[in-house]
Every structure is written in C-alpha cells, then in structure tokens.
Amino acid sequence: MRHECARIHSQGLASGQYVVSKTVLLIQDEQRDALLVQELLSRSSDEALQVHWVRSCREGLKRLTETGHAGAPPPDTIAAVVVDLFLPDSRGIETFERLYALAPQIPILVLSAAQDEELARLAVRRGAQDYLLKTHIDEYLLPKTLRSMIERAANADALFEEKERAQVTLKSIGDAVISTDVDGRVTYLNTVAESMTGWSLQEAAGRPLEQVFRIADATTRDVTQNPMALAIQENKTVGLTSNCVLIRRDGTEAAIEDSSAPIHDRQGHVTGAVMVFRDVSMARALSLKMAHLAQHDSLTELPNRILFHDRLIQALALAHRHHHRLALLFLDLDRFKRINDSQGHAIGDCLLQSVAKRLLACVRSSDTVSRLGGDEFVILLSEVTCPEDAVCSAKKILLALSVPHRIDQDDLNLTASIGIATYPDDGAEAETLLKHADLAMYRAKDTGRNTYRFFEPHMDRHTTERISLESGLNRAIEGHEFILHYQPTVSLNSGKFTGVEALIRWRHPQRGLVLPSQFVPIAEEFGFITAIGRWVLHEACRQSQAWRAAGLPPLRLAINISTVELLEKGFVEGVRAILREHGLAPQDLEFELTETFLMRESNTTAAVIKSLSDLGVRIALDDFGTGYSSLSHLKRLPIDTLKIDQSFVSNLATDNDDASIIAAVIGMGKGLRVRIIAEGVETREQLASLQKMGCPEGQGYLFCRPLSAHEFVQLLSSKAAESRPPHGAAQRYLPDPCG
Ligand code: C2E
Ligand code: MG
Ligand code: MG
C-alpha cells in the first residue's frame, strides 16, 4: 500500500536528510535529463518531491522490490515512477511492461523523446498514468503531473480499501443485506441474504425486489409493503416491520425483522436503497413461548390471573358498548387441601387437571376458564341474558365435578363451591366483580359447600373479615398467638370438679381475643386445624401434668377435636406419642367430638374412634342433641360421655319439648352407662331443673367461666383448700337440700 506522506531516508540527488515527502523513483540513464528532472522538482514551490535516481531498468526493478538497500527508500514508500523507456538494459515498451508487471499499483510517468511519442501513448494505453515529452517539461508541468498522478493513485487505493472493507463486512456479518437501484431492482445480496431468500446474487440481480424478497404479515397473511420502496419513496430510513415473515423461494417461511435506508449519489439524489434483515424465528418463538408461560397456568394450561384479567376487561368493554350481561363464576374446590395433604401433591395436581378439563367441557368456546392459583378457578360467561343462565352453568359445573375423578386407578370424589357475580348488577369494574364473586363463593362454603350463591351486598363485610382471619392463621402458631382457657365440669350432686375442658383462644395482634367459633371453621377449611390441634394436645397435656406435679387434685382433661384432625393419617399414633411424652395416662384424656361431624363421616371416623378407645382414651359426644344421631349409631361407637347441647339447657324453663329431650337423654345415658353432662348452665333455675331430672354433671358460667391457666390453678388451689372443710366453691350454687 502506498503512503502519501512517507518519512523516508532519501539520498542521491536529494538532500540526504530525513524529510516528510513523497519519493519519486527516477529511472534514467542520461545524466543531463536526470539532473533536469531533479532541478525542476526542487524548484517547485510546493512540498518537495524527493527523487531517487537509478540508471537502469534492473536497478529500478530492484528498488521496487527490495528493502534494506543502503541509501534506498523502502519500496512501499515510492509514490511514483518516472521512466525513460530507452535504457541500457531495456528498450521500448518492454521497459514499461516489466515495471508495471512488478508494481501495478504505483503510477508510472513515461518521459519520452518527441520521436518516441507513439510508444509513450502505447504505454499509457497499457496502464501508464501519463507521459511527458522531454522537450516540453518545465518546473510547472512536471510537478503538477506527478502530483495529480500520485493523488489519483491514492484515491484509487482509498476507494479500493473502502470497497474491500464493505465487501468483507457484508460477507462476514450475520445479517442479510440486499440493495436495489432506484427502480427497486436488486443490485446486491450478501451471502446471508442469498441463503435466507434462496436466490443467488447472480440470479437475483436485476429482478424486481418483490420477486426475491417476498414478505407477509405473520398473523393476517397480508402482503406487507416493501420497506425498501418506502425508504426510496420517502427518502428516509424505515424502521422494523413488525410481525413480518419472509417467504423464501421454496415457499418456507422465516420470521424476520428488517430496516431500510436510501442510498444517495454525490448530489444527494436517491439512487437506490439498502435493507438489512435478520432471521428472528427463534427469538420470536421464544418470546411467544414466554408470553404464553407468562399468561397461562403451567399445570392446567388455562389462562392465569393476568390473562384472565385482560379478557375480563375486554369483555366488560364490549358488554358496556353492546349493553350485554356478563357473569363471573368464582369456584373453589371443597376441602381440597385435605385431599392434597392426605393423597400427596402429585394426585392433587392430577385432580386439578381433571377439574380444568371438566370446566372447559361445561362452557362455550367464547367463555374463559382460568385458574387463579391453588384450587381457585374463575369462569367468565360472556353470553348470559339473565341470571338464570349463570345458575344453569353453575349447576352443570357442580354436576360435572361431582362425577368421581379417576386418578391412578382410584376414584376421587370432589365438590366445589361457586360464587356468582354479574355485570352490571354486581359491579362494573373487573376488580369489584371478582371480589364479589369471591365473597359469594365464601357464602356458598358457609352454607354447606357443593353449592352456588349469588353475590349479595351484605356479604361484603362478613367475608372480608373472614379472609383477613385466614391470612392471620398462617402465622398464629409460630407467633405463639394461641392460648388455652380451662372450664371445669361439675358434679351436680357434690359440686366437685369432675374434669376440665381445654378451650382454645386466639390472641390476635389487632383484634384481641378471638373465640374458636370465629376461626376454627376457617382453620378447618384451609388446613390449619391439624397443626393447631396438635398444639392444643401438647399444651393441654403439658399443663395438666404440671398441675398434677404441683400436687393439685387430678382432673380428667377434655380436648375438642375436629373430624379433620381425626382423619389425618397417623392421628392415633400421634396421640399415643404425646401422652407418653407428657406422662399422661390415656384414661385421663377425653376427646370431644361434635355429633354432626360424627354423622357425616361415619365409617372412617368410627374406625379411628375405635382405635382411640382401644388405646384407653375416652370419647365424648359434644353438643349432643343437635345432630340427630340414631341410637343404634351410638350403640355401635364406644362413647363414654354425652354432653347435652347448651341450647336445650337454655330453653329448659320455657320449652317443654327441650325439657323432655333432656330427660330422655339422661334416661338413655343411664341405660347405656355413659356419663351425661349438661352444657351451658347459666342460672340457678336451670341447675335446679337439671338436678330434679337427675342430671349427674354440668358445665357452665354458673359454676365457672373458662379461665386462663393461671386463674384456673388459683381456683383449683383454693378449692383443694376448701374441700378439707366440706364446702366447695361451686357448692355455693347447689340448691339448698332443704329449700
Ligand atoms: P364446646 O366444646 O361445646 O365448648 C363449650 C362452649 O360453650 C365454649 O365456647 C364455652 O366457653 C361455652 N360456654 C361454657 N359455659 C357456658 C355458659 O354457661 N353459657 C354459654 N352461653 N356458653 C358457655 P368456646 O370456648 O367459644 O368454644 C366454642 C366451641 O369451639 C367449642 O364448643 C368447641 O366445639 C370448639 N373448640 C374450642 N376449643 C377447641 C379446640 O381446641 N379445638 C377444636 N377443634 N375445637 C375447639
Ligand atoms: Mg367441647
Ligand atoms: Mg358443646
């Protein structure tokens, strides 16, 4: 490559100093001519051209190739050659051709005698830059000719370099490049463009771009406007065509992204356009997949909360415009947590998939079924004319879900509770509708599950509270927020304590003391009850043992158990272990089960009750009289105690039927040899009536309210002290035998 400004070590006719200059290689055997050239160039007012003079063709060729020649310029700094074609060792056109063959990139100026002008012209035709007649050269013409030669050669070099750089870039980049002329005919394709379009540059050149580069919208399949035509037309860079596919020569397709820019000539006129595009099939497929994942539930493939929300908003906008109705069905599976815990998560997952399938089968394709998470689904019915349409769908869904789900050779039974909210009646906003359908679902749960409920405005407050309790239960055990209160059972004859019932309370950080009726059903529904029950059992056994150790009179400990706990795998073993841990005999423990639960899950519960009884633990039927258990049923179970529900006791004075029921239960208890305890004894009148009926034991505020462990121990101690002289605290309330 040439250096326009070369720092060379110039000798010979030149000054012999380091200068910034261009070297001209002068090949001339005539000393007079050589000196003239030197003279003319040194006189030039411009930057001096250094001259390196050699006398023969051989020497000239040597200078053009060899480096390190003492006193000679490096070959790559020679900017031009001035040559006399007639030299001692080479004559005529041959002189030119030898030089040109060796260094075609260096401009050659032929110095010629007038009679050899024809030969000089021939040299120019063969590639020499120019010729001058020796007789015509002067201090103006020679430097000017040389400089313009050198400049032209430098420009050609630069252009070549530029072109080369562009070519290499175009060949090596990963993007495809196509260019066209101003009429949209293909002028260039790089290798990537060739392989992407299926057209080689040779075949494509001159064809209309639309033939080589066919693009369409990926979704609508409409032919997309060619970005290059637009770039030419509007004379500006045109950005990416979105969602566009390239249809290759063989008909296959690739997702692409492109951008085009016009090409200008020196006057700024558009002469064509260039387009860069790349295959984004992978990236687009990936982004589609990611979009799908972001909007769908991976387990059921149903739209997730995000996508559902979008669809609901769209549906609401449409419904608003066309005055349509919409219905939202909020569905929650009943006691799903229990299935998940007892059968394992894999079965739980299969069950959720089965539910998703059935839900889809129950609705129209225009409806949306979505899984919000856990066992919560929501269904958007977009074509409802009246609320009955929603009822129809809800019933259909409940029926479909109630058919046993076959999973892993097992038939699993499942029910669901559905809350319904309709647009516009129950709300105009997506969030409101969802919330109201959710509240209605909670009401469906409260009313016994496996059913549906419409939203009603009063549900709002009640259920919001319930939801907030549910979230608090999560951390209540770790947060030591539960405590136990203790209430004694009392012998109605002697006034002595016959036992003590542990009753749980929740010291809620914001709400204060929360009673079990407010949170136990929620704990059962959301699967917290097992952990809570376990805590109760530990804590009550520990406390009971501590009292014994302190020398207080031993009392049988009654603990309330929910059927959910009872059905937990390993429940009986757990009880045995806890008793052992605290050193309590099974006979000192009584489990209270509510009659209603007992009736609902008769077979399995009966087996567990039997094992508990075998272990030695006593069993009490709590709230007896409210659950309509049959006598035969009672006979079948190893029941030790019946606790007459407090509603009978409270109506004792006013309701004869209740009095007769109590009397019957007392009689039956005696026949079956079970303990009878009347719950909720509040007044002396009630006590008197119970005593008259021969009820052996009671429990209630009249004798003692549920007390904290600390208060209860004080009561026990004082009672133990009082019992030495025969006057118990509770005895104060017993009717005077004489009065
Ligand atoms: P329950 O087992 O029938 O307990 C008796 C309920 O009646 C207690 O309510 C007690 O405070 C209340 N009570 C006692 N004497 C009287 C009275 O003279 N008049 C009136 N009106 N009420 C009286 P509490 O403590 O609110 O418990 C309610 C229910 O919650 C219990 O009914 C029991 O079924 C359940 N429960 C309590 N503790 C636990 C527990 O640790 N685990 C489970 N699973 N359930 C529990
Ligand atoms: Mg109880
Ligand atoms: Mg009770």
Side-chain angles (χ1 to χ4, degrees):
M1 284 296 117
R2 183 183 328 277
H3 294 264
E4 261 192 88
C5 273
R7 180 182 286 272
I8 61 162
H9 187 205
S10 180
Q11 269 196 347
L13 297 176
S15 67
Q17 288 172 347
Y18 283 103
V19 287
V20 175
S21 60
K22 297 175 179 82
T23 301
V24 172
L25 177 65
L26 175 63
I27 312 173
Q28 173 66 277
D29 61 332
E30 298 278 351
Q31 177 148 8
R32 195 172 48 86
D33 290 346
L35 287 173
L36 177 67
V37 167
Q38 157 65 13
E39 169 70 15
L40 293 177
L41 288 181
S42 67
R43 255 197 268 149
S44 149
S45 57
D46 255 334
E47 170 202 358
L49 288 165
Q50 304 295 320
V51 178
H52 185 84
W53 176 35
V54 295
R55 290 162 189 267
S56 65
C57 187
R58 188 182 53 79
E59 265 181 291
L61 292 170
K62 209 165 168 183
R63 290 294 175 276
L64 288 172
T65 49
E66 283 181 6
T67 50
H69 204 79
D76 63 349
T77 60
I78 294 170
V81 173
V82 177
V83 65
D84 187 332
L85 295 181
F86 291 91
L87 296 166
D89 59 345
S90 179
R91 303 188 68 76
I93 195 70
E94 187 196 336
T95 310
F96 166 76
E97 285 191 330
R98 288 169 70 189
L99 291 166
Y100 187 69
L102 195 68
Q105 78 279 14
I106 300 178
I108 298 172
L109 176 69
V110 174
L111 269 189
S112 167
Q115 68 272 21
D116 300 323
E117 190 172 353
E118 202 40 52
L119 194 65
R121 284 201 180 131
L122 178 64
V124 169
R125 284 201 294 279
R126 301 245 171 121
Q129 286 291 313
D130 216 339
Y131 74 92
L132 288 176
L133 297 180
K134 288 181 199 174
T135 44
H136 284 59
I137 55 171
D138 57 32
E139 65 187 81
Y140 172 73
L141 187 61
L142 180 65
K144 184 176 171 283
T145 309
L146 272 172
R147 258 194 309 276
S148 95
M149 264 170 56
I150 292 169
E151 208 170 285
R152 256 183 289 141
N155 284 344
D157 271 0
L159 198 65
F160 177 85
E161 216 173 301
E162 192 69 19
K163 222 172 149 185
E164 179 69 8
R165 193 182 310 132
Q167 285 287 348
V168 171
T169 310
L170 288 172
K171 275 188 189 143
S172 56
I173 57 168
D175 289 350
V177 179
I178 291 186
S179 65
T180 66
D181 61 17
V182 72
D183 300 321
R185 295 191 177 272
V186 174
T187 51
Y188 176 79
L189 271 83
N190 73 348
T191 338
V192 181
E194 284 182 327
S195 75
M196 274 188 68
T197 57
W199 288 85
S200 72
L201 172 57
Q202 254 181 342
E203 293 170 303
R207 288 179 191 265
L209 180 70
E210 287 70 26
Q211 205 178 336
V212 176
F213 183 77
R214 284 195 294 151
I215 50 175
D217 186 281
T219 323
T220 63
R221 312 303 302 169
D222 291 341
V223 172
T224 310
Q225 192 191 356
N226 204 300
M228 292 177 91
L230 206 64
I232 291 171
Q233 197 180 312
E234 302 199 348
N235 190 13
K236 65 171 194 196
T237 301
V238 180
L240 306 177
T241 313
S242 60
N243 197 32
C244 169
V245 288
L246 168 73
I247 303 158
R248 293 197 185 91
R249 198 174 182 183
D250 64 5
T252 59
E253 292 181 4
I256 58 159
E257 264 176 11
D258 56 47
S259 68
S260 299
I263 305 173
H264 301 110
D265 63 13
R266 282 170 66 170
Q267 284 74 45
H269 299 133
V270 177
T271 58
V274 61
M275 173 174 57
V276 179
F277 58 102
R278 69 188 67 91
D279 188 337
V280 291
S281 306
M282 294 262 281
R284 203 173 286 171
L286 199 70
S287 78
L288 279 177
K289 189 164 178 217
M290 294 203 354
H292 182 86
L293 283 178
Q295 297 194 317
H296 289 79
D297 163 44
S298 56
L299 180 68
T300 59
E301 286 290 317
L302 291 177
N304 65 9
R305 191 182 285 272
I306 299 167
L307 182 56
F308 181 79
H309 194 257
D310 280 358
R311 296 225 181 134
L312 179 56
I313 284 176
Q314 277 172 20
L316 281 170
L318 274 179
H320 177 72
R321 199 175 315 142
H322 302 299
H323 306 287
H324 276 171
R325 244 174 215 282
L326 290 177
L328 270 197
L329 271 55
F330 200 114
L331 182 147
D332 189 286
L333 302 178
D334 295 332
R335 300 203 178 90
F336 178 72
K337 175 100 175 48
R338 204 161 90 199
I339 300 179
N340 223 10
D341 290 348
S342 59
Q343 309 275 335
H345 286 250
I347 301 279
D349 285 354
C350 292
L351 201 53
L352 287 171
Q353 287 167 333
S354 166
V355 167
K357 256 190 223 142
R358 290 194 193 176
L359 290 180
L360 282 174
C362 286
V363 301
R364 303 182 197 175
S365 58
S366 53
D367 300 332
T368 300
V369 178
S370 154
R371 179 175 172 228
L372 298 186
D375 59 344
E376 282 180 353
F377 295 83
V378 60
I379 297 129
L380 167 64
L381 303 178
S382 50
E383 289 173 39
V384 286
T385 45
C386 57
E388 281 63 44
D389 288 348
V391 171
C392 196
S393 293
K395 282 184 175 165
K396 198 170 162 192
I397 287 170
L398 291 177
L399 187 70
L401 293 185
S402 69
V403 176
H405 298 251
R406 182 131 203 115
I407 287 154
D408 246 12
Q409 266 110 53
D410 274 334
D411 281 337
L412 294 180
N413 288 304
L414 191 74
T415 60
S417 302
I418 298 176
I420 307 171
T422 58
Y423 168 87
D425 314 56
D426 302 328
E429 310 280 321
E431 283 76 16
T432 319
L433 275 177
L434 253 179
K435 185 177 143 208
H436 287 171
D438 190 10
L439 293 178
M441 182 277 291
Y442 272 103
R443 185 44 60 91
K445 293 251 182 220
D446 284 342
T447 37
R449 304 185 176 88
N450 193 21
T451 186
Y452 62 87
R453 280 289 174 276
F454 274 95
F455 170 75
E456 286 163 30
H458 69 82
M459 291 176 180
D460 234 337
R461 194 187 44 79
H462 173 83
T463 317
T464 314
E465 200 171 288
R466 196 187 148 115
I467 292 168
S468 98
L469 280 180
E470 178 207 327
S471 64
L473 275 173
N474 236 335
R475 43 159 175 78
I477 293 190
E478 285 80 39
H480 305 288
E481 290 171 13
F482 291 120
I483 51 163
L484 289 181
H485 277 184
Y486 297 91
Q487 190 185 30
T489 49
V490 177
S491 156
L492 298 191
N493 290 321
S494 66
K496 281 190 176 151
F497 288 179
T498 53
V500 60
E501 179 176 2
L503 295 161
I504 193 169
R505 269 97 187 88
W506 179 10
R507 269 189 312 208
H508 193 284
Q510 281 88 39
R511 294 159 183 262
L513 213 61
V514 182
L515 288 175
S517 56
Q518 286 172 272
F519 70 86
V520 166
I522 305 174
E524 284 175 346
E525 171 71 31
F526 293 96
F528 301 117
I529 197 66
T530 316
I532 295 175
R534 195 159 259 273
W535 176 84
V536 170
L537 195 55
H538 263 293
E539 175 56 18
C541 289
R542 186 199 61 76
Q543 187 61 74
S544 169
Q545 200 53 7
W547 286 331
R548 280 163 199 249
L552 293 167
L555 288 174
R556 179 176 291 164
L557 175 66
I559 289 178
N560 296 284
I561 294 287
S562 98
T563 329
V564 178
E565 293 173 66
L566 202 74
L567 292 175
E568 200 65 27
K569 264 188 200 148
F571 176 72
V572 181
E573 288 69 38
V575 170
R576 198 198 306 269
I578 291 173
L579 285 172
R580 202 179 305 131
E581 183 184 332
H582 297 285
L584 215 67
Q587 294 72 20
D588 296 329
L589 185 64
E590 184 162 76
F591 281 143
E592 297 192 3
L593 300 159
T594 56
E595 192 195 5
T596 9
F597 270 142
L598 205 66
M599 296 309 297
R600 218 181 276 168
E601 315 251 354
S602 52
N603 279 341
T604 0
T605 323
V608 184
I609 291 174
K610 179 93 181 21
S611 331
L612 283 172
S613 176
D614 291 346
L615 180 68
V617 174
R618 309 291 154 129
I619 305 293
L621 266 198
D622 210 345
D623 305 342
F624 187 73
T626 56
Y628 314 104
S629 41
S630 67
L631 279 179
S632 64
H633 205 90
L634 285 183
K635 266 185 86 177
R636 226 159 35 90
L637 290 168
I639 304 289
D640 302 282
T641 307
L642 292 182
K643 295 185 81 173
I644 302 173
D645 189 68
Q646 46 182 273
S647 58
F648 299 102
V649 178
S650 67
N651 294 339
L652 204 54
T654 51
D655 193 323
N656 274 339
D657 285 351
D658 282 355
S660 348
I661 289 171
I662 293 180
V665 173
I666 294 169
M668 187 179 78
K670 283 186 178 150
L672 289 169
R673 291 208 173 88
V674 298
R675 258 173 94 196
I676 302 289
I677 305 173
E679 292 189 88
V681 185
E682 291 180 351
T683 64
R684 303 183 113 196
E685 290 71 30
Q686 290 165 352
L687 173 62
S689 307
L690 287 166
Q691 280 176 322
K692 218 181 272 172
M693 284 189 242
C695 182
E697 288 178 57
Q699 185 179 7
Y701 297 163
L702 180 66
F703 312 114
C704 183
R705 286 185 170 268
L707 301 174
S708 69
H710 174 69
E711 291 167 328
F712 191 71
V713 83
Q714 283 181 331
L715 176 68
L716 270 189
S717 317
S718 67
K719 217 175 142 53
E722 276 174 24
S723 70
R724 263 158 253 146
H727 272 296
Q731 240 165 340
R732 281 201 299 272
Y733 303 113
L734 292 175
D736 186 342
C738 311

